[in-house]
Amino acid sequence: GAGVSQTPSNKVTEKGKYVELRCDPISGHTALYWYRQSLGQGPEFLIYFQGTGAADDSGLPNDRFFAVRPEGSVSTLKIQRTERGDSAVYLCASSLTGFRLAGEDTQYFGPGTRLTVL
Amino acid sequence: ELKVEQNPLFLSMQEGKNYTIYCNYSTTSDRLYWYRQDPGKSLESLFVLLSNGAVKQEGRLMASLDTKARLSTLHITAAVHDLSATYFCAVADWETSGSRLTFGEGTQLTVNP
C-alpha cells in the first residue's frame, strides 16, 4: 500500500520567507510525527499529533514553527521568517495509534523535504 | 533528558566479516527501534524490540535488547556490500515523553569488497 508521502521533496527559499511543508500519512494511521534531521545527525523530534490535536509540541524550536492537522490526516508544518539555521531535512512519520499498549506501533517515515534557506 | 548513544559512529568492514553495533540509552524504556538510512533517502524500519531479552533476526542482521543494561546490539553476520548504510537506534521513553522517538547519532557502515 501507499506509504507516507511528503511534498515538496526540495524547497529553496530566502531568509525571512514563509514556507509550508506537507505530509500525507499512511491511511488509517492516527499518530503523526514531524522530525528534523541535520546533516550527519539523527532525526530530532518536533511535534506529535494524535488525531487532529497536537499531543506533544515540545520539540518545536521556537514560535516561528507551527503545525496543523485539521482533519486528522494530512499535516502541514509551517515555518515563518525562515533563517539559515532552519536548513535541514524535515521528516514526517506516522504510526497506527501512538499508544504504548498497541504493540510495536512502528513509525513509518516519509521521504522527507529538504529545506534550504539562502 | 533521554540520551541515546551509538558506537561506533563509523565502521568500515570487509565483506564476509562479522561486527556489532552498540546502542546505549539512559531511560528505562522497554521499546527500542532500529532503522536503516541510505544516502539521500528516508528511514527504513528494521526491527522493533519490545521487551527484555527480545531478539529478532532478518537476513544477516540480528538485533537484541537488554533493558536492565539499557543496551541494544545490532549484529552483522558475513557482511555484504548491500548492507552499507547508516543505522540508527531510537528509543521511546513512554513514562516521560510518550511515543516520540529519541535517536542516536547513527553508525555509518561501509562494507568493502
Side-chain angles (χ1 to χ4, degrees), chain A residues 46-63:
Chain A
L46 295 176
I47 186 169
Y48 156 52
F49 285 90
Q50 182 57 247
T52 61
D56 181 358
D57 65 357
S58 61
L60 295 178
N62 52 59
D63 60 7

Side-chain angles (χ1 to χ4, degrees), chain A residues 34-74:
Chain A
W34 284 98
Y35 294 85
R36 178 168 73 173
Q37 186 176 26
S38 299
L39 191 63
Q41 301 293 319
E44 292 180 313
F45 171 79
L46 295 176
I47 186 169
Y48 156 52
F49 285 90
Q50 182 57 247
T52 61
D56 181 358
D57 65 357
S58 61
L60 295 178
N62 52 59
D63 60 7
R64 295 186 296 105
F65 288 75
F66 188 71
V68 295
R69 194 186 185 198
E71 298 179 356
S73 179
V74 171

Side-chain angles (χ1 to χ4, degrees), chain A residues 1-115:
Chain A
V4 178
S5 61
Q6 292 185 246
T7 55
S9 55
N10 281 285
K11 177 70 177 178
V12 180
T13 190
E14 293 180 343
K15 181 175 178 294
K17 299 290 188 183
Y18 168 83
V19 297
E20 289 190 352
L21 311 179
R22 175 189 167 108
C23 171
D24 202 338
I26 293 171
S27 178
H29 281 193
T30 60
L32 185 146
Y33 308 80
W34 284 98
Y35 294 85
R36 178 168 73 173
Q37 186 176 26
S38 299
L39 191 63
Q41 301 293 319
E44 292 180 313
F45 171 79
L46 295 176
I47 186 169
Y48 156 52
F49 285 90
Q50 182 57 247
T52 61
D56 181 358
D57 65 357
S58 61
L60 295 178
N62 52 59
D63 60 7
R64 295 186 296 105
F65 288 75
F66 188 71
V68 295
R69 194 186 185 198
E71 298 179 356
S73 179
V74 171
S75 176
T76 305
L77 179 65
K78 308 180 181 191
I79 309 173
Q80 297 178 323
R81 305 183 303 280
T82 52
E83 298 178 356
R84 292 194 180 89
D86 298 336
S87 296
V89 176
Y90 289 80
L91 295 167
C92 176
S94 71
S95 71
L96 190 58
T97 71
F99 295 136
R100 184 180 192 177
L101 296 179
E104 294 187 351
D105 204 42
T106 299
Q107 291 185 25
Y108 296 93
F109 283 79
T113 294
R114 182 175 298 278
L115 175 66

Side-chain angles (χ1 to χ4, degrees), chain B residues 22-32 34 49-55 63-74 91:
Chain B
Y22 297 89
C23 174
N24 290 274
Y25 54 95
S26 63
T27 187
T28 55
S29 173
D30 59 359
R31 188 166 306 193
L32 189 132
W34 284 97
L49 302 170
L50 293 183
S51 60
N52 187 42
V55 177
S64 66
L65 179 63
D66 181 344
T67 58
K68 294 178 182 176
R70 301 181 186 176
L71 171 68
S72 180
T73 61
L74 181 66
V91 175

